[in-house]
Amino acid sequence: MVLAFPAFSQPSTPMLSAVEPASGTIGDAFVATGNNLDDAAVTALFLTDGKNDIKVLITEQTATSIKFKLPPTAKQGRFALMVLTKGKDARYIEEPVKITVEVPAEKPTT
């Protein structure tokens, strides 16, 4: 007698491996790449310095990339990216990928 059990798959953990560019200013667009990044796995993306978390605006999302922009609330400094997973057991995962938020260059006055 062979017993068959339905296969239940656990959602794979989102993992970021890189971000381009490595630095930018408010409003700039970035692309974070990795695995398991689609909207079924990741509900939000944040910048974090370990004390403060800043939600970024996701503009496009696939299984291998998240395109996002820095919001007006972003402060100058070096930040890790952090994902918020989706589902009833949602959790924040700080990723090993960092970006630097720079002060915008001043426009020359004429």
Side-chain angles (χ1 to χ4, degrees):
M1 178 175 174
V2 176
L3 297 176
F5 295 97
F8 293 102
S9 63
Q10 287 279 30
S12 298
T13 302
M15 180 66 175
L16 295 176
S17 56
V19 64
E20 290 293 328
S23 64
T25 61
I26 291 170
D28 284 354
F30 293 81
V31 179
T33 55
N35 295 307
N36 306 311
L37 303 177
D38 61 0
D39 60 2
V42 175
T43 191
L45 183 66
F46 297 83
L47 303 179
T48 186
D49 62 6
K51 296 177 186 173
N52 303 300
D53 303 331
I54 303 163
K55 188 174 183 178
V56 301
L57 172 65
I58 294 175
T59 58
E60 189 177 319
Q61 193 170 358
T62 70
T64 57
S65 70
I66 298 176
K67 293 182 181 179
F68 65 95
K69 289 188 176 187
L70 292 181
T73 55
K75 306 289 184 212
Q76 180 180 0
R78 186 140 170 88
F79 297 90
L81 293 178
M82 180 172 65
V83 298
L84 173 59
T85 62
K86 201 167 207 170
K88 66 176 181 128
D89 296 324
R91 60 192 170 119
Y92 293 93
I93 302 172
E94 187 172 329
E95 300 288 347
V97 175
K98 298 188 184 287
I99 66 169
T100 301
V101 177
E102 300 172 339
V103 174
E106 296 210 15
K107 295 179 181 166
T109 57
T110 54

